[in-house]
Amino acid sequence: MSETVEAIDTESEKTENENEENAPTGADLLVREGDIAGDYLERLLDLLDYDGDIDLDVEAGRAIVSIDGGDDLEKLVGGRGQVLEALQELTRLAVQQETGTRSRLMLDIAGWRAGRREELRELGRSTAESVLANGEKVRLQPMSPFERKVVHDAVAAVDGVHSESEGEEPKRRVVVIPDSDED
């Protein structure tokens, strides 16, 4: 009987090893995520009868999907990127349903995120310099997690100040604080 148990254990180990060998690597998984997202978004564009070119890339450990080129794409961004954020979440869910793992993919439409990233970098830098000059902390308007991350990175590049997030979603905001402030 112990021989049977050992044979079963050995067989299950072989199957596990084969599954591990055939499992996609991190980079392969990100490429697969991008492909799944691209297919999902292509179907969405077809349903809406919108034109757009889908570009897939992998940067900093995440799949990046961009849609450019169509006249109607601004509608998929919405005010302050709210529609874009919702589409990104839906796309992440479609990828998760297919792969079984939570995706961190980033979606950009009509270059909105790229443009917004530059605006936020400038906001973070100028706010940090203002706080440094007058010594008063500044609370910025509520922002999405993407927006806060960009601002935090920009503030971190300025010596003499730091930033923190405060509040609860969806009203979470960045606060820029002089390093000399004890709060």
Side-chain angles (χ1 to χ4, degrees), residues 66-157:
S66 302
I67 305 174
D68 291 303
D71 294 333
D72 295 321
L73 294 180
E74 298 284 325
K75 295 174 188 171
L76 296 179
V77 173
R80 293 196 62 211
Q82 290 175 324
V83 175
L84 172 59
E85 290 290 332
L87 285 174
Q88 177 175 278
E89 282 306 306
L90 289 172
T91 305
R92 286 177 174 177
L93 288 171
V95 170
Q96 180 178 350
Q97 184 177 18
E98 197 69 32
T99 64
T101 59
R102 180 78 174 131
S103 173
R104 294 178 49 237
L105 78 84
M106 181 74 70
L107 175 62
D108 193 5
I109 299 176
W112 186 84
R113 271 196 208 280
R116 183 70 175 143
R117 186 176 283 118
E118 286 308 310
E119 290 173 16
L120 292 166
R121 282 184 185 138
E122 176 57 25
L123 174 65
R125 185 196 58 75
S126 63
T127 303
E129 289 174 355
S130 171
V131 166
L132 193 58
N134 68 29
E136 300 280 326
K137 74 169 119 181
V138 172
R139 286 180 173 82
L140 299 175
Q141 293 297 314
M143 297 179 188
S144 70
F146 157 75
E147 293 171 319
R148 290 193 310 271
K149 166 101 171 77
V150 174
V151 172
H152 283 304
D153 290 347
V155 170

Side-chain angles (χ1 to χ4, degrees), residues 136-182:
E136 300 280 326
K137 74 169 119 181
V138 172
R139 286 180 173 82
L140 299 175
Q141 293 297 314
M143 297 179 188
S144 70
F146 157 75
E147 293 171 319
R148 290 193 310 271
K149 166 101 171 77
V150 174
V151 172
H152 283 304
D153 290 347
V155 170
V158 177
D159 289 334
V161 296
H162 64 279
S163 60
E164 299 173 358
S165 290
E166 72 176 20
E168 299 295 323
E169 295 293 351
K171 295 184 179 184
R172 196 154 170 83
R173 66 183 68 227
V174 174
V175 181
V176 182
I177 305 164
D179 283 346
S180 60
D181 198 349
E182 301 298 317

Side-chain angles (χ1 to χ4, degrees), residues 38-50:
D39 292 343
Y40 175 80
L41 292 165
E42 186 70 44
R43 288 191 307 273
L44 175 70
L45 290 175
D46 287 345
L47 284 170
L48 296 171
D49 197 27
Y50 284 7

